[in-house]
Structure formats: C-alpha cells, structure tokens
Amino acid sequence: MSTGIKISKSGKSVTSTNPQDYILNSKWGKIKIIKQGGGTQTVNASTTADTTIPHGAGFYPIVLLFVEQTPGAGRWYGVPFKELSGESVYISSDLGFTSSGKNVFSFRTVNTTGDTKNINYYYFVIGATGHL
Amino acid sequence: MSNYGMKVVEPGKNITSKDPRDWILNSDYPTLNIYKTYTGSITLNAGDTTGYFEIEHHLGYTPAFLVHLGETDSAYATNTKIRVTCNLSTPYNQTTTRCYGDQAFWEHTAAGFHVIAGDSAGDRGSALRFTDIPILQGQDLDAAQLNYTLMTLGTHDVKFTVAGIDEDNTAEFGDPMGRTKTSAINNKTQSQQGSFFGWSDNVLTQVQEIVDRFGWSSGNALGFLFNDNGSESNECLITRHTDNFNSEEIFLDLTYTTSGSITYTYNLVVFENKIAG
C-alpha cells in the first residue's frame, strides 16, 4: 500500500494519474528551495567581479539566478547569461566562473564599459541535484 | 514541543534526514509554486534578426520564471510582464555568396606586377569579370563587397574610381575599358601600403544597378572597371603578376535575403515566488 498526500484540483479526481490535475501530490514532490536571497555586486570599469554564495547543500544543486543588469531598470533577466543587447553589463556564461558547487555557487559579472557598474541579483538554490 | 509542521519523505528515507533531496514535502522550507504556464511564439520573417513575445502576469511584483531558451535568446521579467526575445546571429534567410573572379584585364603590366589603377607611365585602368551571379532580376541586395589583394607603388595617395559595367550579361573581355559604366561610381583614395593587403570596397549600388536591368537574369556575368582619377605620376595600385588570373585574391561577396518565415515556440513557467518588488 502506498502512502502520501494528494489534493486534486476542483473537479478532478483524486485518483487521476495526470500530474496536472493536482494541487499537491506527495508522489511527485515539490520544487524545494533550500536557500534564496539577493544582493548587489559592484564591478569596476572594464573588468570582472566574482560573486560567491554559500549554500551548504552538500551536493550540486540547481540554481535559478536572476539579474537586473541595469539597477532600477526593472528588467530581471534569467538564464542563459549571454551578452544582451541594450545591457552594458552581463553575467559570464563561462562555466569556470558561473557554476554551482557542492557548498557554494558563484557567478562572474563582466563589465565592458569604462565606468564602474552595479548589478542586482536574486537567486533560488533548489533542493534537487543539478549535477552528480 | 515548540516545533511543528509537516514533513513527507521519499520511501525508504528517514524522516529526520536533513538532505532536501529526501523530502517530498517539508513545511520548514518554501517551494517554487507555479502561478501560470504560458505558450508563446515568435515569428521571424526573412531579414529579421530578432523578435519577442510578452505576457502580462498581473502579479504586481517581479516573479521568478523558467523558459527554455536558445543560446542567443534572452528573457526577463518586470513587475508587469515577462518578455522572451529570440535573437539570431544573422538575419533569417540571409545568405552571403562568394563569387570568385573569372577574368581580369589590365591596361598595363610591368615586370612583376599588373597595374589595377593609377598612373604608371600614364593613366591606367583595369577590369574584372565575375560569372554565375546567383541574383534574380530586380532582387534587392543587402550588401556587395568587392575584395582584392593589392598593394601600392609610389609615395602619395592613389586616386581612382570603381564602376560597374552597365551590361545585362558581361561578355568575355577583349579590351573592355571602353564599355559603358554604371551611373554608380565610387571615387576612391588609397594611402600608400608597402605590402600586399586585403582591400575591399562597397559596390552595392553598382551591383544593384546591374541586376535591376531589365535584361538581367540569375546566372549572368557582371564586371567592374577601375580607372585612374588624377593620381600623381607613378602612383598606382598593383596586384601580383602571375601567369594566370589569380581568382583566390579577387572575389565578390553578395549578401541577399530570400523570402520565408520561421516560428519559434516557447513554454514559459511563471512562479508565484517574488524576486523583486
């Protein structure tokens, strides 16, 4: 006998095998957030800055990272972090610098301009393995 | 007991496990909660390099989201909408064809070089012919670039012109220097370069004028005329002196766009979770 918790959507049977019919079904679990937060990274003119966030998961988790490359613009970009038209600062896609480790994740901010820049970021560290 | 909540673990896992991968549900930890899912599409017509679709999410704050993007695509959220942008590295259905020179004519040849244009014991010119041009009659070109490996002789700037040969289908050369020129003519000034280099020139208007001719059709040949334009004595452009015409050093890049369109479809997941106000 299997055990667990199910809550089906209104009008859907609790015996349905379609995951989309459920508000909650412990059989499929949820996307668990083990850490979330944000901050601001300053990067000097024509250089790079590395940001490291400890998460202590003990495994390689999936990380969702959003970046407001022009603070105050209100545009929060998601992956992938390529150089984007209209944005003067971007997150490097080089996996040597933007990656998730067992206990920290890090990303590199690249500033191609001649001025010091700030970026705002927000992240979710997901309680699921992104890399074995 | 001060701690309370709900925890459901995977079969075979201990309820006291601190590994979040063992949990099916743990009320001590928040979850990403799906607000809505959307499907959007972006249609790029011939010549387009970018397009986007937007959704209004009505959450009143900037939410987290997920969308599977191509390598050059991007997506961002604001407190009212999410925009997914498709970017192509080159315009859709734009093609650049490289045509190699088929024949050249030089008015003056000396030991070790041919004179392209300028003054070398008198005003000198030359001509080039390209065959099998894959442009339809009247087709709009995006770019046309003539490339030539050359160097200069002398000590001052070389002044010369570059014109198209105003013919429906440029015939093989005898002496083509008297042929009718296109109305589009480039007046050029080349500073001295003591070694061979890759010279190039924008000949879009010349080529467009030729392919716009009523008698032009795809596969025809076209040509260019180089003429001196007041260079001082013994100031000229030269190319290597080879027994045969070296087409690898002379080529014409034609960029054009054919019709058609392509549609990209994206599945977008918007979460209730907030990333900014």
Side-chain angles (χ1 to χ4, degrees), chain A residues 4-5 24-34 36 57-60 64 66 73-80 82 84 122 124 126-129, chain B residues 6 8 19-21 23-26 29-33 62-67 69-79 271 273-276:
Chain A
I5 298 171
L24 172 66
N25 188 329
S26 58
K27 180 179 179 181
W28 292 300
K30 301 281 281 185
I31 305 173
K32 299 170 287 285
I33 301 168
I34 57 177
Q36 62 181 304
F59 56 90
Y60 297 98
L64 297 184
F66 298 90
R75 296 187 298 272
W76 287 80
Y77 284 94
V79 290
K82 298 294 183 184
L84 301 167
Y122 199 92
F124 297 92
I126 305 301
T129 301
Chain B
M6 180 186 294
V8 180
D19 188 334
R21 295 171 296 180
W23 309 331
I24 290 170
L25 175 66
N26 186 336
Y29 287 82
T31 57
L32 279 175
N33 302 312
T62 305
F65 64 93
L66 272 180
V67 60
L69 298 172
E71 188 174 348
T72 56
D73 296 343
S74 64
Y76 69 76
T78 71
N79 58 8
F271 297 105
N273 305 67
K274 178 179 175 180
I275 58 175

Side-chain angles (χ1 to χ4, degrees), chain A residues 71-122:
Chain A
R75 296 187 298 272
W76 287 80
Y77 284 94
V79 290
F81 300 110
K82 298 294 183 184
E83 187 169 6
L84 301 167
S85 175
E87 304 288 349
S88 56
V89 182
Y90 62 95
I91 305 301
S92 170
S93 58
D94 186 334
L95 297 180
F97 304 106
T98 299
S99 60
S100 174
K102 282 188 173 181
N103 292 299
V104 300
F105 80 89
S106 56
F107 60 90
R108 168 164 286 190
T109 308
V110 181
N111 179 2
T112 61
T113 76
D115 302 313
T116 297
K117 297 286 185 180
N118 292 321
I119 61 148
N120 293 329
Y121 60 88
Y122 199 92

Side-chain angles (χ1 to χ4, degrees), chain B residues 221-251:
Chain B
L222 57 74
F224 298 95
L225 293 170
F226 293 76
N227 287 95
D228 178 58
N229 190 26
S231 302
E232 294 182 31
S233 180
N234 296 318
E235 312 285 349
C236 60
L237 304 178
I238 64 168
T239 187
R240 300 180 208 276
H241 188 180
T242 57
D243 291 338
N244 297 310
F245 173 57
N246 188 346
S247 64
E248 292 296 324
E249 295 190 350
I250 304 171
F251 54 90

Side-chain angles (χ1 to χ4, degrees), chain B residues 81-146:
Chain B
K81 68 186 179 185
I82 293 176
R83 176 183 288 196
V84 177
T85 301
C86 173
N87 295 300
L88 301 181
S89 55
T90 57
Y92 180 65
N93 265 1
Q94 186 183 74
T95 302
T96 297
T97 296
R98 178 159 292 182
C99 306
Y100 291 96
D102 173 71
Q103 190 183 11
F105 172 84
W106 293 281
E107 280 188 310
H108 183 66
T109 294
F113 61 87
H114 301 295
V115 175
I116 299 169
D119 185 295
S120 179
D123 293 346
R124 304 297 183 182
S126 65
L128 295 174
R129 178 174 179 261
F130 296 84
T131 55
D132 299 321
I133 303 300
I135 306 298
L136 300 172
Q137 193 279 327
Q139 182 175 353
D140 287 337
L141 290 159
D142 300 322
Q145 183 166 283
L146 181 59

